[in-house]
Each structure stands twice: as structure tokens, then as C-alpha cells.
Amino acid sequence: MHAEAVKGHLDSILLASLEPQPLHGYAIMEAVRAGSHASFDLPTGTVYPALHRLERAGLVRSKWSTVSGRRRRTYELTDRGRRRLREERQSWKLFSRAVSNLLSGAPAGATP
Amino acid sequence: MTAAARSDPIEGLLDAIGARLPGPARPREEILTELRDGLLEVADANQRRGLGHGEAVQLAVRQFGDAPTIAAAFWPEMAAARARRVVFGLFVTGPIVVALWIWAARSRSLGPESGVFDSSLSHAAAVLLIAATIGCGIWAIIAAGHAPLWPHIEPQMALLGAAAMGGVAVVADLAMLSTLSAPLASLPGPVHQVALAAAILASATRLILTSRASRSCLAMRTMT
């Protein structure tokens, strides 16, 4: 899937990938790739600025560690981030149901 | 370009990104350290898929994206860092400069009877300047992020707030220099040249640095 198509949903995708556990940038990319069955293959560099933006918004927090001699920044969801993820999920369900109805070709007013 | 950058595509890309990140050195270094780790992880993964080292690194750089796009995406981070740095510097140096002027005034026995501090107008102006400085600083810090209450405020506003705070600080320093240095130098009494020289030096230094910092904040706003 083209990166542009994912752009508008990148924040939600990143929040969802961090829900199970704290991850560093590359591990987040891998989680997104695996979770989307390799449909989403973003340019790696686009993930890091997005994570910084989420941190500035208070949705994730980061901490530094050293792994195999390399300094590594790991991100985890904040309480605010978890709340936002719940809201995004709810809103996505409504949106996707509406689009599915429209694209299914079912006549208006018909119940699925 | 460094020697490492010439021989290593990863360092070459990081050099190109770093050259496009304006602002304080520390956040820039942290961004580059994080990106380096990410690039090396991608290169390692490429090697695990069977590529040779050189090919794995080249592919990692291609997969990462181009330097101008990545650097531009980090602009809000760098803008917020610059604004925070300027505000922090002004909040720290402000009380020091005021304390030095108070020390200079006391060392010359410059009390209310001297007339220098006896004007309600100068008191009002001082209060106004301090309030404006603190107000601009708080606005800049809020806009610089880590303030979830107002996440929609753009970092451009943080730079504007920091530049405004710098502007008010310049006015305050000019006011102190112009209204206090002459009376302190001319009044009779025990001469405490060190106190007066320290106050003038502190105000003048801050004046120069603040003007430069404010201009750089305004210049950075146009880099988006």
C-alpha cells in the first residue's frame, strides 16, 4: 500500500503498535509491517519525526538505553495516549462501517 | 562532509540530515543518534536476509528516505527546542542581571532619597516589563510542547513567544543601562566599581546574546 494512503492514519497506527509493549523505532516499523501483513511498508525515516510529534503531544514518552553498545530510544504509551487510542478505534469503527456500506453497493437505507 | 561520511553511506545521510537541522546541538545530536540506531537496525535486518554488508547498508539508506524530507519533518522538534533554550536562558539570566544592579545600587548607597528609584512611572514600567517577559516566556513554553492541554499550538508560536520575550528583555536591559548606569557612576559615596562594572557587563552581554537569539528565532520561523 502506498505510504501516502497511510499518512493520515500514521499516529493511530503508531499508538496501536505501542499498545502491547514499549518499542524502539525500528521495532515499531517491524510491528507495523507484521501487523499489516506487510501491506504498510513506510519509509523508515518517516516514523521517527512522527514519534517525536506524539511525544510532544504527551501521547507517548521515551527513554534512552544502551543495547549492544548502541544508544537506543524506546517509546511507550502514556495514559493520555491509551485514551486517544481508544477514541481513535471507536471513530475508525464508525468510519469503516460507513465506507463499507457505501462501497458494498447496497441500496441506501438497506440494512446490512 | 566528514571522512566517516565519505566512506559510510549511513554517516553520509546523517551528516546531510544534521546539516539541515537548525537549533541547539543537544536535541540535534539526540535525533541523529536515534536515526543512526534505526539505520543500523535496518542494515542488520538486510544482512540477515542474505545481503552483503555494503549492499545492506546502501539499501538501508534508500529505505530510510531522503535527507531534506526527514530533516523538514523534525523542524517542529528543533523549533520547540530552540524556543525552550531561549526562554530558559532568559529566565535564568534575568534575576542575575537584576540582582547585580541591586548590588551596584546598594554599594553606592542609592536609596529612595537619591530619586532614581522614586518614580512611580519607573516602578510601573519595571512591573510591566517583568510581567511581559514572564508572560511571553510562559506562552513560548506552552507552545513549545510537553503541554498536552494545548497540543494544537504550532511550534512557530513558540518561536514567536521566545522572540517576543527576547525583545522585552532587550528593552529591559536597555532601560536599566540607560537609567541606572549614569546616576550610579556620578553619585558621591563609596566607589564600588566592581559592582557597577559587573552590572553593566551583565546587561550588555545579555543584550547582545538576546538580540542574536531573538533574531535566530524569527529567522527559524521562515524555514518551514
Side-chain angles (χ1 to χ4, degrees):
Chain A
M1 189 174 284
H2 197 271
E4 283 298 317
V6 181
K7 223 175 202 175
H9 308 289
L10 184 59
D11 289 2
S12 311
I13 291 169
L14 295 178
L15 292 176
S17 68
L18 285 169
E19 192 180 27
Q21 61 184 330
L23 294 170
H24 60 91
Y26 179 71
I28 292 170
M29 287 294 306
E30 285 296 288
V32 170
R33 196 173 293 138
S36 67
H37 304 289
S39 296
F40 299 161
D41 198 6
L42 301 167
T44 324
T46 59
V47 168
Y48 295 93
L51 287 167
H52 284 234
R53 190 179 63 247
L54 292 176
E55 187 170 30
R56 277 194 348 99
L59 301 176
V60 303
R61 70 171 75 87
S62 70
K63 61 179 178 187
W64 286 92
S65 59
T66 303
V67 180
S68 307
R70 289 211 299 252
R71 288 191 70 219
R72 174 163 293 169
R73 194 172 196 169
T74 306
Y75 295 86
E76 67 177 327
L77 284 184
T78 60
D79 290 342
R80 188 182 163 84
R82 286 183 196 283
R83 278 199 303 276
R84 173 67 65 84
L85 181 58
R86 278 197 297 273
E87 291 163 9
E88 292 286 337
R89 274 205 178 107
Q90 190 57 32
S91 133
W92 176 255
K93 272 179 196 162
L94 295 171
F95 175 76
S96 62
R97 193 181 304 152
V99 172
S100 295
N101 282 344
L102 287 167
L103 295 185
S104 67
T111 48
Chain B
M1 187 183 278
T2 63
R6 276 192 294 273
S7 60
D8 183 344
I10 287 180
E11 290 305 319
L13 177 63
L14 293 175
D15 266 16
I17 294 170
R20 289 174 171 84
L21 291 177
R26 189 173 167 193
R28 179 169 54 239
E29 284 310 311
E30 286 193 344
I31 287 170
L32 294 178
T33 300
E34 185 181 15
L35 295 185
R36 181 179 290 107
D37 177 54
L39 278 158
L40 291 170
E41 282 286 310
V42 178
D44 288 348
N46 290 339
Q47 276 192 285
R48 285 196 295 274
R49 290 186 192 111
L51 295 179
H53 175 73
E55 207 180 344
V57 167
Q58 290 284 2
L59 182 59
V61 168
R62 283 203 300 277
Q63 289 169 323
F64 213 74
D66 63 292
T69 305
I70 296 169
F74 275 115
W75 182 90
E77 184 78 6
M78 297 306 293
R82 165 68 60 89
R84 277 195 295 268
R85 172 73 57 95
V86 170
V87 169
F88 178 75
L90 289 170
F91 271 140
V92 168
T93 56
I96 294 172
V97 170
V98 170
L100 284 169
W101 281 110
I102 290 171
W103 178 38
R106 287 194 171 174
S107 72
R108 300 302 305 265
S109 304
L110 194 65
E113 70 284 356
S114 68
V116 175
F117 295 124
D118 203 21
S119 156
S120 58
L121 190 64
S122 64
H123 284 164
V127 169
L128 193 66
L129 282 172
I130 290 168
T133 308
I134 292 171
C136 290
I138 290 172
W139 168 250
I141 287 171
I142 288 170
H146 300 299
L149 287 174
W150 294 283
H152 57 282
I153 300 174
E154 296 295 322
Q156 279 99 334
M157 299 307 290
L159 288 171
L160 190 62
M165 187 186 185
V168 176
V170 164
V171 171
D173 277 314
L174 279 173
M176 282 190 285
L177 278 168
S178 60
T179 59
L180 294 177
S181 47
L184 284 172
S186 62
L187 278 173
V191 178
H192 270 265
Q193 299 290 352
V194 175
L196 184 56
I200 291 173
L201 186 67
S203 262
T205 306
R206 201 170 87 120
L207 195 62
I208 293 164
L209 294 178
T210 307
S211 309
R212 203 176 291 168
S214 292
R215 278 201 305 272
S216 77
C217 283
L218 291 175
M220 199 170 170
R221 289 187 77 227
T222 64
M223 290 180 190
T224 48

